[in-house]
Amino acid sequence: MERRDFVSNMGLMLALACAGGLAACSRNSADMPGPGGGGAAFTADLNTELQNVGQFKIGGGAIVIRVAAGNTPSSFAALTSTCTHEGCTVASFNSTTNLIECNAPCGHGSRYTTTGAVQTGPATRALTQKTATISGNTLTVS
Ligand code: FES
């Protein structure tokens, strides 16, 4: 193999590795935020989901957490699910600590409160709050 061919092949392999690494930074495409940091609205059926304080749902670039009883918008925290550290989708909400967690394999351990404030880094910027609306028994996050 000539030096030029070797360099060309290495460039192609590097490009493929970078593309694979970027794709691995989110659990699935439904969790990816849309352009401008927004995501597609997503809904929850309050007859079957988010019925108890501490339950959460992630999708459409958002995380919604039930923080109080009742089916009013103030009963829920709605935030972007994209970690401000390196853009991974946050993994879960820990109802014992009341913190949103950005964990392995993609995340690096940042923790956020239900207002989106950073509780533990490496993230330094808060999660953006989103809007929760309720119509009947359907909660919509946009
Ligand atoms: S991407 Fe969330 S802590 Fe690094």
Side-chain angles (χ1 to χ4, degrees):
M1 176 180 298
E2 291 189 22
R3 183 170 184 225
R4 184 179 351 165
D5 294 335
F6 176 77
V7 171
S8 177
N9 287 342
M10 289 303 292
L12 178 60
M13 290 174 59
L14 184 60
L16 291 172
C18 288
L22 289 173
C25 201
S26 181
R27 292 191 314 180
N28 61 56
S29 61
D31 294 335
M32 293 295 290
F42 88 105
T43 61
D45 181 350
L46 298 177
N47 286 321
T48 58
E49 302 174 283
L50 303 172
Q51 295 178 309
N52 301 309
V53 172
Q55 290 183 319
F56 68 98
K57 182 177 181 179
I58 298 173
I63 180 169
V64 62
I65 306 154
R66 179 180 279 282
V67 294
N71 284 350
T72 64
S74 64
S75 303
F76 300 91
L79 304 154
T80 180
S81 61
T82 304
C83 181
T84 62
H85 175 230
E86 289 186 357
C88 296
T89 298
V90 296
S92 63
F93 173 72
N94 184 323
S95 61
T96 301
T97 61
N98 275 336
L99 295 173
I100 298 164
E101 301 178 339
C102 187
N103 291 330
C106 179
H108 313 99
S110 290
R111 301 284 184 269
Y112 301 89
T113 69
T114 55
T115 65
V118 175
Q119 195 268 348
T120 302
T124 59
R125 291 177 291 118
L127 297 175
T128 302
Q129 294 196 8
K130 298 182 79 78
T131 301
T133 56
I134 297 175
S135 177
N137 286 313
T138 300
L139 176 142
T140 300
V141 177
S142 57

